[in-house]
Amino acid sequence: MDSIIVTGNGPLNGQIPIAGAKNACLTLMPATLLSDEPLTLTNAPRLSDIKTMTELLRSLGAEVTQLQDGQVLVMSSHALNNHVADYDIVRKMRASILVLGPMLARDGHAVVSLPGGCAIGARPVDLHLKALEAMGAELELKEGYVHAKAPGGLKGGNVDFPLVSVGATENALMAATLAKGTTVLNNAAREPEIVDLADCLRRMGAQIDGDGTSTITIQGVDRLNGATHPVVTDRIELGTYMLAPAICGGELECLGGRIDLVGAFCEKLDAAGISVEETKTGLKVARKNGHVRAVDVTTEPFPGFPTDLQAQMMALMCTAQGTSVLEEKIFENRFMHAPELIRMGAKIDVHGGTATVTGVERLKGAPVMATDLRASVSLILAGLAAEGETIVSRVYHLDRGYEHVVRKLESVGARIERISGQ
Ligand code: EPZ
């Protein structure tokens, strides 16, 4: 397993290009199952999760061609020869459940393994299943698989989500495009990735209104055609690199960054003493006057502060002036980066879903271990600001969601290198 060595060495300056959004691409790719014509995605990120989704779609009989070093994906699923999403692939990546809705909507049957839990929480899929049942799907759980049928096709229905779920909204939205009649999704997720999916589905001929709000209305159509769609910028990669000059000084321009993707996050940066300036090519970020102030953060569904930026924000708060309280309201176990940051000299008290961080003058480099995707990058951010050398092990977590992280940070002055493990 590879490791990454980071040596704290002062301010970073320059430009970092932000890639297409992993969490948009992982729902846009299954959308190809809704049509028998090709769907082309541009600005696709080069990540291991995208490779896993490619492997899953190919296992169903879809064709996936990668062009321009993987930045363009041309997918076609005119003749699926398998409607079973196997446990071996699904357990590697929970987003695999997103093939269920489209496959069921177009072909009337699908068998998908339950994804199982993951490091940050149990992460059930009950809301995905309830939404499809509300559209007339007949579901049966057998030996860890969901067997789904819709013999006469799905019917438009009223779906009331008891809590906001990004994935369940995506599954229901895709399924509803081919259901007979009108579907209304209440308490739907409002993330930019939902809007991006709706934009793509509209290009394919779907009739969707209200995406980006809590109520999405879909008028089912008989079929969807092919399309070409650019994947939206990755707001979590964006927020992550915006924290680099915040945590170690300097000034970075995140190319392709947009304020509307990171509104609540920018409000917290402003309160912490970090300036964010919109430029013609992205977002320019720097400290306002040298030091960073502690701020409190509570994670919420969009447009609130994103849970996927909580670990990275904690790294910044470890060296801020004062004490900050971070509340993780989305997942039940998303503070696994805290013990690793404590190894670097951070002062963090974790009680249930609340972490209290008291800023210290300087962190000290140390060997630390990545536990999940966002925790891994928070350790790299901490290492950029720490005194001495930090060795982050198990960086395969990083490869799931950040393309070329060493190259991008090296290009703006970071002392960082990847060493291959046994
Ligand atoms: C998506 O996961 C993202 N993944 C996550 O990003 C992100 O953290 C999460 O949304 C929240 O924003 C992708 O888009 C591939 P949810 P998802 O359904 O859809 C509970 C990353 O780092 N829930 O919005 O799985 C669930 O347990 C990843 O890129 C149910 O109870 O998240 C959680 O507590 C991590 N039943 C809450 O809802 C369900 O059926 C929100 O989960 C579904 C979810």
Side-chain angles (χ1 to χ4, degrees):
M1 284 184 261
D2 290 6
S3 299
I4 285 181
I5 302 178
V6 197
T7 306
N9 70 322
L12 302 178
N13 291 287
Q15 297 179 319
I16 287 187
I18 304 300
K22 165 182 88 79
N23 291 347
C25 204
L26 288 176
T27 189
L28 290 165
M29 291 174 75
T32 188
L33 299 170
L34 290 165
S35 169
D36 50 14
E37 294 178 14
L39 172 62
T40 298
L41 298 177
T42 60
N43 194 39
R46 280 68 59 91
L47 302 166
S48 59
D49 271 8
I50 304 307
K51 288 197 179 76
T52 305
M53 183 59 83
T54 298
E55 185 191 338
L56 173 58
L57 290 175
R58 284 175 178 162
S59 77
L60 301 174
E63 288 153 26
V64 182
T65 308
Q66 296 171 343
L67 306 174
Q68 291 176 35
D69 183 29
Q71 272 203 301
V72 174
L73 300 173
V74 183
M75 299 169 290
S76 171
S77 62
H78 56 282
L80 293 185
N81 53 26
N82 170 30
H83 287 78
V84 180
D86 202 81
Y87 176 58
D88 276 351
I89 299 180
V90 176
R91 71 188 171 86
K92 276 195 287 189
M93 185 186 64
R94 312 177 32 70
S96 308
I97 191 76
L98 294 173
V99 301
L100 175 60
M103 223 176 354
L104 181 62
R106 199 192 69 176
D107 291 350
H109 61 104
V111 179
V112 179
S113 165
L114 285 169
C118 83
I120 63 176
R123 300 184 72 184
V125 290
D126 56 316
L127 301 183
H128 297 242
L129 306 184
K130 284 201 187 82
L132 295 174
E133 281 177 325
M135 287 184 237
E138 294 156 19
L139 305 179
E140 194 187 350
L141 297 191
K142 262 191 310 195
E143 292 153 20
Y145 283 76
V146 179
H147 292 251
K149 286 195 182 65
L154 292 173
K155 292 184 289 304
N158 220 34
V159 181
D160 295 317
F161 288 114
L163 59 97
V164 173
S165 161
V166 172
T169 301
E170 290 163 346
N171 238 332
L173 174 56
M174 288 189 282
T177 58
L178 294 178
K180 291 180 182 59
T182 304
T183 299
V184 180
L185 306 182
N186 298 302
N187 200 23
R190 301 169 55 190
E191 274 66 6
E193 293 75 34
I194 305 279
V195 175
D196 200 42
L197 173 62
D199 283 343
C200 177
L201 293 169
R202 276 188 285 263
R203 285 175 201 262
M204 295 169 73
Q207 293 179 23
I208 302 168
D209 288 302
D211 45 293
T213 76
S214 301
T215 305
I216 303 177
T217 304
I218 306 103
Q219 186 62 43
V221 294
D222 294 338
R223 61 182 301 281
L224 292 179
N225 19 284
T228 296
H229 178 78
V231 178
V232 68
T233 301
D234 192 321
R235 62 195 170 95
I236 305 304
E237 187 193 26
L238 170 61
T240 301
Y241 287 120
M242 288 171 75
L243 284 167
I247 205 164
C248 50
E251 182 180 80
L252 277 196
E253 183 180 14
C254 296
L255 301 177
R258 290 176 11 207
I259 280 271
D260 64 302
L261 295 173
V262 281
F265 176 69
C266 287
E267 282 169 23
K268 286 296 173 185
L269 288 188
D270 181 59
I274 309 300
S275 73
V276 178
E277 180 203 337
E278 283 188 281
T279 66
K280 287 196 181 59
T281 44
L283 298 180
K284 200 174 268 186
V285 186
R287 288 178 181 172
K288 286 181 195 168
N289 53 19
H291 64 271
V292 177
R293 288 190 297 275
V295 292
D296 294 343
V297 169
T298 299
T299 63
E300 296 171 308
F302 196 87
F305 190 100
T307 175
D308 293 350
L309 284 172
Q310 177 260 109
Q312 300 89 314
M313 192 67 177
M314 185 184 284
L316 178 65
M317 292 295 104
C318 288
T319 55
Q321 286 181 352
T323 298
S324 79
V325 176
L326 291 98
E327 281 197 287
E328 174 52 60
K329 293 277 194 193
I330 306 294
F331 290 111
E332 60 267 35
N333 184 33
R334 204 170 195 178
F335 285 139
M336 287 174 295
H337 40 287
E340 301 304 312
L341 290 166
I342 290 168
R343 285 179 51 75
M344 298 174 70
K347 286 194 174 32
I348 307 170
D349 262 330
V350 174
H351 292 286
T354 302
T356 304
V357 183
T358 305
V360 297
E361 189 64 34
R362 188 109 196 255
L363 295 173
K364 302 264 184 305
V368 290
M369 187 175 76
T371 50
D372 61 83
L373 167 56
R374 307 305 175 182
S376 51
V377 81
S378 79
L379 299 174
I380 289 192
L381 287 172
L384 288 172
E387 189 183 318
E389 199 173 75
T390 299
I391 303 171
V392 183
S393 60
R394 301 192 179 186
V395 291
Y396 59 84
H397 290 291
L398 208 60
D399 297 336
R400 298 190 55 176
Y402 291 89
E403 62 171 50
H404 307 314
V405 69
V406 170
R407 187 192 312 171
K408 288 186 176 184
L409 285 171
E410 238 176 3
S411 73
V412 293
R415 278 170 56 192
I416 182 169
E417 63 173 320
R418 185 169 182 139
I419 48 175
S420 57
Q422 292 69 22

